[in-house]
Amino acid sequence: MLKKFKSWYKNVFGSRRELVREETMDVKNHRVEIRDVTYFVAKALFTDIPEMIEIERAVYSGQAPWDSTAFANELRREKDRLYLVIRKNDKLLAFIGSTFDERTRDAHITNIAVLPEFQSRGLGRFLMGVMIKKAKQLNYKSVSLEVRVSNSNAQKLYRDLDFEQTGIKRGYYFGDHEDAADMVLYLKEEPEETD
């Protein structure tokens, strides 16, 4: 009988972890100050995809590693994916995407890009900080990512955020087959609240 009650209760009210996850993944559109400049942050929408691809082209010498189908597939998975965009004067300047894996308790940064003319203004650091905070709120063990071995600026940012290199993936990137450095930020476990 208790088992049936617990099952009914969970179906009706959800588990605490599920509620925390829903709240954590729900990002309201809002303004933020980054280095004394006001920007607009929002969850990425399907209508943002063309601009996200344009940012990738600007960052990756005319090549967009992801196409619209790949981005659309990611944005459809609202339960375990979170994509955010930063705008100024209605222009998309930067975005980040992450998967949140309940099984491994890892938030994996799938994609982050900032228009070249807006790099070194704290936008990438801000977006990484948001995803790290989300992972901590979910009591995850780690935040992981891959980065091109040639991208020393990004690697410096990740090291500044306490990521450490854990390996190399040979020929990882499509097209030029450049190697990727695996990097991980290990998060301290917070004691879980009990009801």
Side-chain angles (χ1 to χ4, degrees), residues 159-174:
R159 283 193 182 92
D160 287 350
L161 293 170
D162 295 326
F163 280 76
E164 52 191 75
Q165 185 172 327
T166 57
I168 295 282
K169 287 184 176 148
R170 302 279 175 213
Y172 179 77
Y173 288 98
F174 181 76

PDB file of all heavy atoms in Angstrom, residues 159-174:
ATOM      1  N   ARG A 159      40.676  27.406 -17.721  1.00  0.00           N
ATOM      2  CA  ARG A 159      41.597  27.207 -16.592  1.00  0.00           C
ATOM      3  C   ARG A 159      41.346  28.241 -15.495  1.00  0.00           C
ATOM      4  O   ARG A 159      41.410  27.922 -14.311  1.00  0.00           O
ATOM      5  CB  ARG A 159      43.048  27.255 -17.068  1.00  0.00           C
ATOM      6  CG  ARG A 159      43.468  25.979 -17.754  1.00  0.00           C
ATOM      7  CD  ARG A 159      44.973  25.881 -17.947  1.00  0.00           C
ATOM      8  NE  ARG A 159      45.278  24.664 -18.656  1.00  0.00           N
ATOM      9  CZ  ARG A 159      45.386  24.572 -19.985  1.00  0.00           C
ATOM     10  NH1 ARG A 159      45.260  25.638 -20.749  1.00  0.00           N
ATOM     11  NH2 ARG A 159      45.644  23.414 -20.560  1.00  0.00           N
ATOM     12  N   ASP A 160      41.053  29.483 -15.906  1.00  0.00           N
ATOM     13  CA  ASP A 160      40.725  30.528 -14.928  1.00  0.00           C
ATOM     14  C   ASP A 160      39.482  30.145 -14.122  1.00  0.00           C
ATOM     15  O   ASP A 160      39.328  30.572 -12.982  1.00  0.00           O
ATOM     16  CB  ASP A 160      40.467  31.875 -15.617  1.00  0.00           C
ATOM     17  CG  ASP A 160      41.738  32.541 -16.132  1.00  0.00           C
ATOM     18  OD1 ASP A 160      42.849  32.061 -15.801  1.00  0.00           O
ATOM     19  OD2 ASP A 160      41.613  33.535 -16.877  1.00  0.00           O
ATOM     20  N   LEU A 161      38.589  29.356 -14.730  1.00  0.00           N
ATOM     21  CA  LEU A 161      37.367  28.897 -14.057  1.00  0.00           C
ATOM     22  C   LEU A 161      37.592  27.573 -13.321  1.00  0.00           C
ATOM     23  O   LEU A 161      36.645  26.935 -12.886  1.00  0.00           O
ATOM     24  CB  LEU A 161      36.234  28.742 -15.078  1.00  0.00           C
ATOM     25  CG  LEU A 161      35.742  30.041 -15.720  1.00  0.00           C
ATOM     26  CD1 LEU A 161      34.802  29.749 -16.879  1.00  0.00           C
ATOM     27  CD2 LEU A 161      35.061  30.935 -14.692  1.00  0.00           C
ATOM     28  N   ASP A 162      38.862  27.148 -13.222  1.00  0.00           N
ATOM     29  CA  ASP A 162      39.287  25.934 -12.497  1.00  0.00           C
ATOM     30  C   ASP A 162      39.020  24.624 -13.235  1.00  0.00           C
ATOM     31  O   ASP A 162      38.991  23.559 -12.627  1.00  0.00           O
ATOM     32  CB  ASP A 162      38.689  25.874 -11.084  1.00  0.00           C
ATOM     33  CG  ASP A 162      39.218  27.004 -10.209  1.00  0.00           C
ATOM     34  OD1 ASP A 162      40.388  27.389 -10.392  1.00  0.00           O
ATOM     35  OD2 ASP A 162      38.469  27.499  -9.363  1.00  0.00           O
ATOM     36  N   PHE A 163      38.847  24.679 -14.551  1.00  0.00           N
ATOM     37  CA  PHE A 163      38.793  23.442 -15.337  1.00  0.00           C
ATOM     38  C   PHE A 163      40.207  22.889 -15.430  1.00  0.00           C
ATOM     39  O   PHE A 163      41.180  23.639 -15.432  1.00  0.00           O
ATOM     40  CB  PHE A 163      38.291  23.712 -16.756  1.00  0.00           C
ATOM     41  CG  PHE A 163      36.802  23.843 -16.871  1.00  0.00           C
ATOM     42  CD1 PHE A 163      36.149  25.000 -16.448  1.00  0.00           C
ATOM     43  CD2 PHE A 163      36.036  22.826 -17.425  1.00  0.00           C
ATOM     44  CE1 PHE A 163      34.782  25.136 -16.564  1.00  0.00           C
ATOM     45  CE2 PHE A 163      34.662  22.951 -17.550  1.00  0.00           C
ATOM     46  CZ  PHE A 163      34.037  24.109 -17.115  1.00  0.00           C
ATOM     47  N   GLU A 164      40.296  21.584 -15.522  1.00  0.00           N
ATOM     48  CA  GLU A 164      41.592  20.959 -15.748  1.00  0.00           C
ATOM     49  C   GLU A 164      41.511  20.031 -16.949  1.00  0.00           C
ATOM     50  O   GLU A 164      40.461  19.449 -17.222  1.00  0.00           O
ATOM     51  CB  GLU A 164      42.066  20.206 -14.499  1.00  0.00           C
ATOM     52  CG  GLU A 164      41.073  19.227 -13.929  1.00  0.00           C
ATOM     53  CD  GLU A 164      41.493  18.709 -12.566  1.00  0.00           C
ATOM     54  OE1 GLU A 164      41.381  19.463 -11.583  1.00  0.00           O
ATOM     55  OE2 GLU A 164      41.912  17.536 -12.498  1.00  0.00           O
ATOM     56  N   GLN A 165      42.610  19.941 -17.663  1.00  0.00           N
ATOM     57  CA  GLN A 165      42.638  19.064 -18.838  1.00  0.00           C
ATOM     58  C   GLN A 165      42.765  17.621 -18.373  1.00  0.00           C
ATOM     59  O   GLN A 165      43.612  17.292 -17.543  1.00  0.00           O
ATOM     60  CB  GLN A 165      43.805  19.418 -19.757  1.00  0.00           C
ATOM     61  CG  GLN A 165      43.793  18.617 -21.042  1.00  0.00           C
ATOM     62  CD  GLN A 165      44.825  19.080 -22.038  1.00  0.00           C
ATOM     63  OE1 GLN A 165      45.136  20.265 -22.114  1.00  0.00           O
ATOM     64  NE2 GLN A 165      45.356  18.146 -22.807  1.00  0.00           N
ATOM     65  N   THR A 166      41.905  16.768 -18.937  1.00  0.00           N
ATOM     66  CA  THR A 166      41.898  15.359 -18.528  1.00  0.00           C
ATOM     67  C   THR A 166      42.304  14.422 -19.658  1.00  0.00           C
ATOM     68  O   THR A 166      42.454  13.229 -19.426  1.00  0.00           O
ATOM     69  CB  THR A 166      40.508  14.944 -18.019  1.00  0.00           C
ATOM     70  OG1 THR A 166      39.543  15.189 -19.049  1.00  0.00           O
ATOM     71  CG2 THR A 166      40.136  15.712 -16.761  1.00  0.00           C
ATOM     72  N   GLY A 167      42.472  14.949 -20.859  1.00  0.00           N
ATOM     73  CA  GLY A 167      42.864  14.091 -21.974  1.00  0.00           C
ATOM     74  C   GLY A 167      42.810  14.834 -23.292  1.00  0.00           C
ATOM     75  O   GLY A 167      42.526  16.029 -23.348  1.00  0.00           O
ATOM     76  N   ILE A 168      43.102  14.084 -24.357  1.00  0.00           N
ATOM     77  CA  ILE A 168      43.075  14.613 -25.727  1.00  0.00           C
ATOM     78  C   ILE A 168      42.246  13.657 -26.576  1.00  0.00           C
ATOM     79  O   ILE A 168      42.406  12.440 -26.475  1.00  0.00           O
ATOM     80  CB  ILE A 168      44.502  14.706 -26.325  1.00  0.00           C
ATOM     81  CG1 ILE A 168      45.371  15.726 -25.576  1.00  0.00           C
ATOM     82  CG2 ILE A 168      44.467  15.034 -27.816  1.00  0.00           C
ATOM     83  CD1 ILE A 168      45.098  17.171 -25.915  1.00  0.00           C
ATOM     84  N   LYS A 169      41.369  14.222 -27.403  1.00  0.00           N
ATOM     85  CA  LYS A 169      40.642  13.415 -28.390  1.00  0.00           C
ATOM     86  C   LYS A 169      41.270  13.704 -29.743  1.00  0.00           C
ATOM     87  O   LYS A 169      41.150  14.810 -30.272  1.00  0.00           O
ATOM     88  CB  LYS A 169      39.153  13.774 -28.397  1.00  0.00           C
ATOM     89  CG  LYS A 169      38.409  13.270 -27.191  1.00  0.00           C
ATOM     90  CD  LYS A 169      36.930  13.565 -27.288  1.00  0.00           C
ATOM     91  CE  LYS A 169      36.219  12.957 -26.092  1.00  0.00           C
ATOM     92  NZ  LYS A 169      35.059  13.718 -25.679  1.00  0.00           N
ATOM     93  N   ARG A 170      41.939  12.720 -30.309  1.00  0.00           N
ATOM     94  CA  ARG A 170      42.649  12.876 -31.583  1.00  0.00           C
ATOM     95  C   ARG A 170      41.658  12.997 -32.745  1.00  0.00           C
ATOM     96  O   ARG A 170      40.696  12.244 -32.829  1.00  0.00           O
ATOM     97  CB  ARG A 170      43.571  11.686 -31.838  1.00  0.00           C
ATOM     98  CG  ARG A 170      44.602  11.473 -30.748  1.00  0.00           C
ATOM     99  CD  ARG A 170      45.775  12.393 -30.912  1.00  0.00           C
ATOM    100  NE  ARG A 170      46.676  12.248 -29.779  1.00  0.00           N
ATOM    101  CZ  ARG A 170      47.383  13.237 -29.288  1.00  0.00           C
ATOM    102  NH1 ARG A 170      47.321  14.432 -29.827  1.00  0.00           N
ATOM    103  NH2 ARG A 170      48.179  13.038 -28.261  1.00  0.00           N
ATOM    104  N   GLY A 171      41.898  13.979 -33.628  1.00  0.00           N
ATOM    105  CA  GLY A 171      41.083  14.146 -34.826  1.00  0.00           C
ATOM    106  C   GLY A 171      39.619  14.395 -34.543  1.00  0.00           C
ATOM    107  O   GLY A 171      38.750  14.032 -35.339  1.00  0.00           O
ATOM    108  N   TYR A 172      39.308  15.018 -33.426  1.00  0.00           N
ATOM    109  CA  TYR A 172      37.936  15.157 -32.939  1.00  0.00           C
ATOM    110  C   TYR A 172      37.049  16.015 -33.837  1.00  0.00           C
ATOM    111  O   TYR A 172      35.886  15.708 -34.050  1.00  0.00           O
ATOM    112  CB  TYR A 172      37.962  15.741 -31.524  1.00  0.00           C
ATOM    113  CG  TYR A 172      36.603  15.954 -30.909  1.00  0.00           C
ATOM    114  CD1 TYR A 172      35.879  14.887 -30.399  1.00  0.00           C
ATOM    115  CD2 TYR A 172      36.038  17.226 -30.834  1.00  0.00           C
ATOM    116  CE1 TYR A 172      34.625  15.067 -29.821  1.00  0.00           C
ATOM    117  CE2 TYR A 172      34.792  17.424 -30.266  1.00  0.00           C
ATOM    118  CZ  TYR A 172      34.090  16.343 -29.762  1.00  0.00           C
ATOM    119  OH  TYR A 172      32.858  16.535 -29.201  1.00  0.00           O
ATOM    120  N   TYR A 173      37.584  17.110 -34.344  1.00  0.00           N
ATOM    121  CA  TYR A 173      36.743  18.075 -35.053  1.00  0.00           C
ATOM    122  C   TYR A 173      36.532  17.704 -36.510  1.00  0.00           C
ATOM    123  O   TYR A 173      37.468  17.333 -37.215  1.00  0.00           O
ATOM    124  CB  TYR A 173      37.315  19.497 -34.918  1.00  0.00           C
ATOM    125  CG  TYR A 173      37.130  20.014 -33.523  1.00  0.00           C
ATOM    126  CD1 TYR A 173      38.164  19.955 -32.599  1.00  0.00           C
ATOM    127  CD2 TYR A 173      35.904  20.511 -33.106  1.00  0.00           C
ATOM    128  CE1 TYR A 173      37.983  20.404 -31.295  1.00  0.00           C
ATOM    129  CE2 TYR A 173      35.717  20.955 -31.804  1.00  0.00           C
ATOM    130  CZ  TYR A 173      36.758  20.895 -30.918  1.00  0.00           C
ATOM    131  OH  TYR A 173      36.574  21.326 -29.631  1.00  0.00           O
ATOM    132  N   PHE A 174      35.268  17.830 -36.929  1.00  0.00           N
ATOM    133  CA  PHE A 174      34.866  17.533 -38.303  1.00  0.00           C
ATOM    134  C   PHE A 174      35.543  18.529 -39.242  1.00  0.00           C
ATOM    135  O   PHE A 174      35.698  19.691 -38.917  1.00  0.00           O
ATOM    136  CB  PHE A 174      33.344  17.641 -38.426  1.00  0.00           C
ATOM    137  CG  PHE A 174      32.826  17.327 -39.794  1.00  0.00           C
ATOM    138  CD1 PHE A 174      32.746  16.013 -40.238  1.00  0.00           C
ATOM    139  CD2 PHE A 174      32.438  18.346 -40.647  1.00  0.00           C
ATOM    140  CE1 PHE A 174      32.278  15.719 -41.497  1.00  0.00           C
ATOM    141  CE2 PHE A 174      31.965  18.059 -41.918  1.00  0.00           C
ATOM    142  CZ  PHE A 174      31.890  16.744 -42.340  1.00  0.00           C
TER     143      PHE A 174
END
